[in-house]
Amino acid sequence: MAETHRTDNLNWDEYFMGIAVLSAKRSKDPSTQVGACIVDPNNKVVSIGYNGMPRGVDDDKIPWGHGEGLDSKYLYVCHAEFNAILNTRDGSALQGCRIYVTLFPCNECAKAIIQTGIKEIVYADDKYHEQISSAASRHMLDMAGVKYTRYVGRKVEIDVK
């Protein structure tokens, strides 16, 4: 009798969310690590990103806390979605793509997603759902016709040793 193939392999959503989860492990943010993976309509990875400081900015000289004024990380950190968009060689390559992200995009990232022509967001967590920035994000995404759905596949855990 011939052998059959495995049936417990990752489906596409699990695979791409797994890449986003792995990318989040690059983040140095002590409280929230976020990863993103952009995929074209043919299920080819176009770009990946994670939340971190802009290139050339010394992570050790920037605050990583929720402080006030210039002592707040929020003034400096580039979000995973934004980094994934900026990491592409050709911005037009994002037209019609999907983005897998471990955290629902803020309003600023939603603007970039809309502007580049990404048509779908698959997100794992929505912990800031009640914040005004998330409401603005959903409002813009709805107006622009960008689909967003919560990830429902198996939780991909990656243990790096």
Side-chain angles (χ1 to χ4, degrees):
M1 186 163 106
E3 265 188 71
T4 61
H5 63 79
R6 287 179 46 217
T7 58
D8 63 342
N9 60 303
L10 299 176
N11 67 34
W12 285 119
D13 283 345
E14 292 165 343
Y15 177 61
F16 297 131
M17 189 58 75
I19 293 172
V21 168
L22 180 61
S23 296
K25 299 225 179 260
R26 284 279 310 141
S27 175
K28 293 182 180 179
D29 191 317
S31 62
T32 306
Q33 302 82 46
V34 182
C37 177
I38 302 175
V39 181
D40 75 10
N42 294 313
N43 290 324
K44 292 185 179 184
V45 175
V46 175
S47 187
I48 56 176
Y50 58 90
N51 60 319
M53 295 301 166
R55 188 173 295 138
V57 174
D58 188 343
D59 315 278
D60 295 326
K61 294 183 179 173
I62 298 293
W64 284 98
H66 303 279
E68 297 290 321
L70 291 177
D71 289 329
S72 172
K73 70 176 179 179
Y74 299 110
L75 297 174
Y76 307 102
V77 172
C78 289
H79 289 181
E81 308 92 303
F82 193 63
N83 271 329
I85 288 167
L86 293 175
N87 286 339
T88 60
R89 291 181 185 266
D90 176 14
S92 66
L94 301 180
Q95 194 73 31
C97 286
R98 307 188 295 289
I99 186 168
Y100 290 80
V101 64
T102 58
L103 184 62
F104 188 81
C106 72
N107 61 308
E108 293 299 321
C109 289
K111 291 177 200 176
I113 288 167
I114 292 164
Q115 284 296 95
T116 58
I118 292 172
K119 291 298 178 197
E120 183 177 357
I121 300 164
V122 180
Y123 64 94
D125 190 16
D126 193 9
K127 74 177 183 177
Y128 300 114
H129 183 84
E130 298 304 319
Q131 291 189 0
I132 193 79
S133 61
S134 289
S137 181
R138 290 188 301 276
H139 186 59
M140 285 188 289
L141 294 168
D142 289 342
M143 287 192 297
V146 176
K147 180 181 173 185
Y148 51 93
T149 55
R150 185 169 216 133
Y151 173 72
V152 293
R154 291 180 287 181
K155 185 176 180 182
V156 177
E157 293 185 16
I158 299 171
D159 186 20
V160 181
K161 295 182 182 195

